[in-house]
Amino acid sequence: MSEQERPYGGGTSDPALKRVRTRHFQRAKEQGIKITGLTSYDTLSARIFDEAGIDFLLVGDSAGNTVFGYDTTLPVTLDELIPLTRAVARSVARALVVADLPFGSYENGPDDALASAIRFMKETGCHAVKLEGGERSHKQIKRIVSAGIPVMGHIGFTPQSEHGLGGHVIQGRGDDGAEALMADAKAVEKAGAFAVVMEMVPSDIAGKVTDELSIPTISVGAGPHCDGQLMVWSDWAGFSRGRIPRFVKQYAQIGDTLLAAARAYKDDVDNAVYPGPEHEYGE
Ligand code: KIV
């Protein structure tokens, strides 16, 4: 697919640049054009991903792990995510920016959910919000959408419920699992979401859900039959240390590059190699 054929232009150097809108997600599904997403939590990565033509950037509550150093996504708050989302939204010319509603900001009901979504929209300049849960979150999705705010759903493995789900467990397996996943997907679609993330779901089941839904499905470990793909950028770029999920393909080893650079810098300073004459100011 050439960049010119995309319904919403390619990277930011494309003269046919158009901002990606939720209607472009729909058009991409109808035309069989794959949608690409990455997480982003700061201006430097957001600018690069936008220039590369990544269609949407998710300021995920994975920031709880990647930015704030918590063990899970559960402690991260709206107040912590708002400045990160503002930085990302300010840095893109083309990509659609999606803000992730953190645990505790929408479960109490539709009023809380709308209030949290409004804070993101007013205080950050993001273009849409995401929240976890299928049938259990349909009222929240409906209320937010009715206020004119686009919502991306998130079903399958939902990290905010990892204790309820018994850990990082593949969802949608077996007849009952597949049925429950399909019911969640339909509830999200009916509530008015413009797209739905499916996380850690067998590829065949994800393919069936994708065929049944009219809105695009976005895979996080849900295989190739979904309408788009999303990865946590620090896993994708080899920045995260430790265990990486099976579904992640690493496109760089930034962590190793930074480690080698930091060691080389330390050696240079220890051995009076840096700064050299070329780094000094004269009078
Ligand atoms: O917070 C996040 O990064 C996410 C994706 C993994 C879907 O929710």
Side-chain angles (χ1 to χ4, degrees):
M1 176 74 49
S2 90
E3 294 205 334
Q4 297 304 329
E5 287 167 320
R6 297 182 79 79
Y8 34 76
T12 50
S13 55
D14 187 337
L17 171 73
K18 286 188 194 141
R19 186 172 279 290
V20 178
R21 304 275 182 185
T22 54
R23 67 189 150 84
H24 296 131
F25 273 58
Q26 193 57 43
R27 210 181 297 165
K29 175 161 181 131
E30 283 158 17
Q31 297 180 3
I33 297 166
K34 295 285 188 185
I35 300 161
T36 49
L38 284 172
T39 64
S40 175
Y41 319 99
D42 62 31
T43 187
L44 297 176
S45 63
R47 283 189 184 163
I48 290 169
F49 301 157
D50 193 43
E51 187 179 338
I54 301 298
D55 298 316
F56 75 98
L57 300 184
L58 170 69
V59 187
D61 64 352
S62 48
N65 309 103
T66 62
V67 176
F68 297 109
Y70 302 128
D71 284 345
T72 70
T73 59
L74 297 179
V76 76
T77 64
L78 205 52
D79 285 335
E80 285 172 320
L81 292 181
I82 280 176
L84 311 187
T85 310
R86 192 183 293 135
V88 171
R90 210 188 258 152
S91 307
V92 301
R94 175 182 173 276
L96 183 110
V97 176
V98 182
D100 209 4
L101 290 179
F103 181 63
S105 72
Y106 62 96
E107 292 85 348
N108 268 334
D111 289 346
D112 268 16
L114 179 57
S116 302
I118 287 176
R119 278 201 68 195
F120 266 135
M121 300 306 285
K122 274 186 106 70
E123 297 179 38
T124 73
C126 70
H127 310 116
V129 299
K130 176 173 88 57
L131 59 86
E132 295 186 6
E135 288 190 299
R136 70 180 162 92
S137 297
H138 82 275
K139 287 193 181 133
Q140 282 89 331
I141 297 174
K142 205 167 171 186
R143 176 70 69 84
I144 298 172
V145 171
S146 72
I149 301 171
V151 175
M152 179 178 273
H154 182 166
I155 59 171
F157 177 69
T158 44
Q160 292 171 13
S161 338
E162 73 162 79
H163 300 301
L165 294 172
H168 288 241
V169 179
I170 315 292
Q171 302 296 303
R173 278 191 167 146
D175 289 349
D176 289 352
E179 205 175 297
L181 186 80
M182 188 66 87
D184 277 340
K186 289 191 170 165
V188 166
E189 175 174 71
K190 190 157 175 246
F194 72 95
V196 61
V197 168
M198 277 193 281
E199 183 164 350
M200 286 180 28
V201 167
S203 303
D204 286 356
I205 308 300
K208 285 190 183 128
V209 172
T210 300
D211 290 345
E212 283 277 322
L213 292 195
S214 58
I215 58 170
T217 59
I218 308 292
S219 159
V220 176
H225 311 303
C226 291
D227 299 302
Q229 297 291 328
L230 167 65
M231 277 192 274
V232 170
W233 93 261
S234 44
D235 293 345
W236 160 89
F239 199 178
S240 313
R241 314 306 268 171
R243 206 183 76 76
I244 299 296
R246 170 190 162 91
F247 62 80
V248 172
K249 177 171 174 182
Q250 292 192 308
Y251 284 80
Q253 288 301 334
I254 286 185
D256 290 347
T257 304
L258 279 179
L259 184 61
R263 283 183 173 146
Y265 165 60
K266 183 178 164 36
D267 277 356
D268 278 2
V269 174
D270 283 351
N271 297 308
V273 173
Y274 176 82
E278 69 276 29
H279 306 118
E280 294 181 54
Y281 296 109
E283 281 181 30

